[in-house]
Amino acid sequence: MSVVLTTFGIQSAQNEIATLGEQDPRVFLLLIPLSFLLIGPGEELLYRGVVQERLRESFGRWPAIALASLIFAFVHVFSLQGQDTGIIVYLGILFVLSPILGAAYEYTRNLVVPALIHGAFNALQFGLAYLMMTGQLPS
């Protein structure tokens, strides 16, 4: 998605952690294993294991995925920096990722699957950010 956005000159908002990474790119390297060990599992335990589970009990599978995705995106708004258009783009990315995570959980009934997908998504973002910040990947 980042390549498509860059191709069309569309700027996404940045998460606050990107500011730290711009000051010291090694932060991104630390965040790669943390994506798999803490971020992915922690967020998936909350949003799929608690939020989506409770919503499914009340509304069914697909509405639960949609509502959990909406909540997931809304909570991330508070950590974003950038212009309104960039925030909308960032939220759009989350609206693609979050239903995938929700569906993966619903089909497997196993939190490990969306946690690994989430961790891999974040780790890839942090790895690419590191390469861009250190000049090893053109921006």
Side-chain angles (χ1 to χ4, degrees), residues 4 17 19 23 25-27 31 43 45 51-52 69 71-72 97 99 102 118 128 133-134 136:
V4 171
I17 201 74
T19 305
Q23 295 169 3
R26 294 176 297 176
V27 169
L31 289 169
E43 288 190 358
L45 178 61
V51 174
Q52 187 170 314
S69 296
I71 293 167
F72 179 78
L97 174 65
H118 191 152
L128 291 172
M133 289 293 125
T134 59
Q136 298 176 52

Side-chain angles (χ1 to χ4, degrees), residues 44-73:
E44 292 312 306
L45 178 61
L46 176 61
Y47 292 104
R48 285 350 121 196
V50 176
V51 174
Q52 187 170 314
E53 273 295 313
R54 299 302 168 259
L55 291 169
R56 184 169 30 81
E57 292 170 5
S58 299
F59 302 107
R61 176 185 283 186
W62 298 111
I65 292 171
L67 289 169
S69 296
L70 183 65
I71 293 167
F72 179 78

Side-chain angles (χ1 to χ4, degrees), residues 7 11 22 38 62 68 139:
T7 301
Q11 189 81 25
E22 288 172 355
L38 296 175
W62 298 111
S139 53

Side-chain angles (χ1 to χ4, degrees), residues 5 12 29 39 41 49 52 62 75 116:
L5 293 174
S12 176
L29 293 178
I39 300 168
Q52 187 170 314
W62 298 111
V75 168
L116 286 173

Side-chain angles (χ1 to χ4, degrees), residues 29-123:
L29 293 178
L30 176 63
L31 289 169
I32 292 171
L34 291 179
S35 294
F36 289 104
L37 298 172
L38 296 175
I39 300 168
E43 288 190 358
E44 292 312 306
L45 178 61
L46 176 61
Y47 292 104
R48 285 350 121 196
V50 176
V51 174
Q52 187 170 314
E53 273 295 313
R54 299 302 168 259
L55 291 169
R56 184 169 30 81
E57 292 170 5
S58 299
F59 302 107
R61 176 185 283 186
W62 298 111
I65 292 171
L67 289 169
S69 296
L70 183 65
I71 293 167
F72 179 78
F74 177 74
V75 168
H76 281 80
V77 167
F78 300 105
S79 68
L80 297 178
Q81 300 174 346
Q83 299 175 353
D84 291 343
T85 305
I87 291 172
I88 291 168
V89 169
Y90 191 96
L91 292 176
I93 293 168
L94 290 180
F95 276 123
V96 171
L97 174 65
S98 190
I100 291 169
L101 298 171
Y105 175 62
E106 287 296 330
Y107 283 115
T108 65
R109 301 301 299 155
N110 185 338
L111 282 171
V112 173
V113 175
L116 286 173
I117 296 168
H118 191 152
F121 178 83
N122 286 358

